[in-house]
Amino acid sequence: MTEPLLVDRTDGVVTLTMNRPTAMNALDVALKEALRDALAALETDRSCRAVVLAGSGGSFSAGQDLHEHVQVLESPGRDPLDTVRAHYNPIAARLANLPKPVVAAVRGMAAGAGASLAFLADFRIGGPKTKFLMAFAGVGLAADTGASWTLPRLVGHAKAVELLMLAEPVAADEACRLGLLTRLVDDDEQVLPTAHELAARLAAGPTVAYGAIKRQLSIADAGTLADALSAEAQAQSICGGTADHRAATVAFVNKQKPVFQGN
C-alpha cells in the first residue's frame, strides 16, 4: 500500500510530502491523520530544525477529498464536517505553532484546505503553474484549516473577503504580488529545490530564536502592545540563555561567522 505521507530527513530538514498524486494530493482521512500525527511528533523532535511541506506529482493539494466527503454526506447519523475538529484544526494549530520554520513548496494547484495548509507555512515558494483557489464557497462551505485567520494577515481583510466569497483562482504572479507567495521561481521544477535550499539555510540558523519569533508574532497579531512587550521580554530571556546566543555574540565581536547548534 502506498504511504499517503512521505517523510524524508536530510541534515536537520524534514520534508513532508503529501503522496496522492493521482488525486492531486486531495486530503482523505488517511492523509490527514498521517499529517496530523507527523506534525505532532516533530514538535518535540530536536533533530528536526526546519520543515518542508510539499505535494507529489504536479500539484500541492486539491484540498478535501470530495469523493470521500460525498460518502460521509450520504451516511446517516454522521456529522459531515467532523473532520474539521478531528483533523483540520489540529493540523492547522500544529503547523502554525511548530517551534521551527516551515517552508511550503507550492507546485501547481493549492485549493481549499490545501491552500490553507500553504498559508500556515512561514514561507511559500511557487512557480509559474502555482495557483491558489479558496474553493470553499464553491461547495457551499465557509473557510477552514485556519484560512479565516491566515488570509487577512497575508492580504488584508477586504482581499480575504474577495478571495473567500468569489472563490476565483489566483495565478502565480498575482499570488506573489499579494503576498501569498514568498518567492516565485521561473521554473516549476525548481520549486522544491528552492524550498529545500531555504529550509537548509533556516536549519543552520538560530532555531530557538526562530521559534520565539513565531510565538511573538502570533501573540502580537491578536494582542495589545503590552502583550507584545511581555512576549518580547519572555522571548529574549529564553534566547539570551542559549548557547547559540553566547557563541554568536562572541563570533560577531571577533568578526567570525557564527555557527548555530539549535540550543
Side-chain angles (χ1 to χ4, degrees):
M1 179 179 175
T2 303
E3 293 294 328
L5 184 73
L6 304 179
V7 181
D8 176 76
R9 296 171 178 270
T10 305
D11 297 330
V13 176
V14 176
T15 302
L16 303 177
T17 304
M18 295 175 282
N19 188 37
R20 301 188 68 217
T22 59
M24 296 179 65
N25 301 312
L27 296 153
D28 64 356
V29 169
L31 177 52
K32 286 180 284 191
E33 290 182 345
L35 185 56
R36 178 194 63 192
D37 297 346
L39 290 169
L42 291 179
E43 287 177 359
T44 55
D45 184 349
R46 293 180 61 84
S47 69
C48 170
R49 298 186 62 180
V51 174
V52 172
L53 181 62
S56 59
S59 299
F60 182 72
S61 173
Q64 171 62 39
D65 186 326
L66 293 182
H67 295 286
E68 183 180 77
H69 186 58
V70 166
Q71 296 176 6
V72 177
L73 289 172
E74 294 175 346
S75 301
R78 293 184 63 180
D79 178 353
L81 271 304
D82 180 62
T83 188
V84 173
R85 293 184 179 87
H87 304 115
Y88 288 127
N89 283 358
I91 289 170
R94 284 166 179 159
L95 262 180
N97 297 317
L98 200 66
K100 47 205 78 183
V102 180
V103 182
V106 191
R107 181 176 174 180
M109 175 59 77
S116 299
L117 291 176
F119 299 155
L120 288 160
D122 302 302
F123 303 88
R124 290 161 299 282
I125 310 301
K129 293 183 180 178
T130 296
K131 189 175 294 185
F132 293 102
L133 175 62
M134 303 313 295
F136 302 103
V139 290
L141 290 175
D144 64 34
T145 320
S148 65
W149 186 83
T150 55
L151 259 183
R153 286 163 172 77
L154 290 171
V155 302
H157 180 89
K159 193 65 180 181
V161 170
E162 178 185 335
L163 294 178
L164 287 167
M165 289 191 178
L166 297 185
E168 296 174 343
V170 181
D173 287 343
E174 178 69 358
C176 193
R177 187 186 71 79
L178 290 174
L180 298 177
L181 287 175
T182 308
R183 189 178 303 171
L184 178 60
V185 298
D186 295 331
D187 183 353
D188 290 295
E189 295 298 325
Q190 290 304 308
V191 170
L192 187 57
T194 302
H196 278 142
E197 181 181 355
L198 176 57
R201 171 185 170 184
L202 292 163
T207 48
V208 174
Y210 293 155
I213 289 169
K214 291 179 68 168
R215 288 192 296 274
Q216 284 180 327
L217 293 175
S218 178
I219 291 168
D221 275 342
T224 63
L225 174 59
D227 295 328
L229 294 175
S230 177
E232 288 177 359
Q234 182 184 36
Q236 294 297 54
S237 179
I238 293 170
C239 294
T242 61
D244 274 351
H245 167 64
R246 292 192 294 273
T249 302
V250 172
F252 180 85
V253 169
N254 292 323
K255 297 182 179 181
Q256 298 171 343
K257 183 178 180 180
V259 176
F260 297 103
Q261 302 296 330
N263 53 48

